[in-house]
Amino acid sequence: MITGTARLKSAMFSNDWQLASAGQVLATMRRYPRQFVTEVATIDGDRWLLEPDGEGIVNLVSSDNPRLAAITRRSITGRRWDITSQAFAYQLISHPRPRRWHITVGGTPVAEINGSLLSYNTVTIESNLGVPLAVAVMAWNVIARPWEVAARPRGIRAVPEPQVQEQP
């Protein structure tokens, strides 16, 4: 869980990233641009893979679970995403100001993500409540690497909201 301030950092043009909070590295990420995937190693020893699934979906998978979580594009412009798993449901929403995003629960912001003035090589996450590490990693993937979300041939179309059918 991320509480308080965390930073995602990478050297310019590097494929290696670190997520750190209070001086402790919580996760390292290694991008493989030609394959459009990112390997994630967490402080707990977990190893995940972020892989695009086309149609505006990125899955977080591990060797023992084919889909731990997913982030799904919900707007044509890419300003709204759903981050879901069996354990949580968050939304990633773009702020009107450039390089600013919010992670929300039920429309209430619980964390703010800010990119630096010129790039996303340094990203700051300010969290009021605990946000799962997986949520931060998936949000980073969409914010800093939006073209990788479109890596599969089907492109980046928004996935329609699920329609709830009420039974009579």
Side-chain angles (χ1 to χ4, degrees):
M1 295 293 267
I2 296 174
T3 306
T5 302
R7 291 196 192 284
L8 279 152
K9 285 188 160 189
S10 173
M12 195 65 90
F13 305 114
S14 172
N15 288 322
D16 295 315
W17 286 74
Q18 283 190 337
L19 173 61
S21 180
Q24 183 176 26
V25 176
L26 302 176
T28 58
M29 293 166 279
R30 172 97 177 143
R31 292 181 45 248
Y32 295 93
R34 290 180 189 250
Q35 298 169 341
F36 301 104
V37 298
T38 300
E39 284 182 337
V40 180
T42 70
I43 191 171
D44 299 330
D46 293 331
R47 299 192 70 75
W48 301 329
L49 188 67
L50 284 165
E51 60 181 12
D53 197 13
E55 307 249 355
I57 299 170
V58 175
N59 291 324
L60 180 72
V61 300
S62 70
S63 59
D64 59 339
N65 191 336
R67 188 171 176 174
L68 292 170
I71 185 163
T72 306
R73 184 185 187 116
R74 292 295 183 199
S75 72
I76 297 296
T77 59
R79 297 177 58 92
R80 190 165 137 341
W81 298 77
D82 289 342
I83 307 172
T84 57
S85 80
Q86 291 183 354
F88 56 74
Y90 291 86
Q91 297 84 40
L92 176 65
I93 300 172
S94 175
H95 192 276
R97 292 186 302 167
R99 301 194 188 280
R100 306 278 190 270
W101 293 76
H102 288 101
I103 295 174
T104 68
V105 174
T108 303
V110 295
E112 184 174 307
I113 302 174
N114 299 309
S116 66
L117 185 60
L118 299 175
S119 74
Y120 279 115
N121 281 47
T122 301
V123 176
T124 303
I125 302 171
E126 297 282 341
S127 176
N128 302 330
L129 299 173
V131 173
L133 187 60
V135 171
V137 168
M138 288 189 296
W140 160 81
N141 185 254
V142 164
I143 292 169
R145 305 286 171 234
W147 57 89
E148 290 183 1
V149 177
R152 295 293 169 107
R154 292 177 288 191
I156 56 168
R157 292 182 297 163
V159 177
E161 289 283 342
Q163 300 295 320
V164 177
Q165 298 289 332
E166 293 186 20
Q167 299 293 329

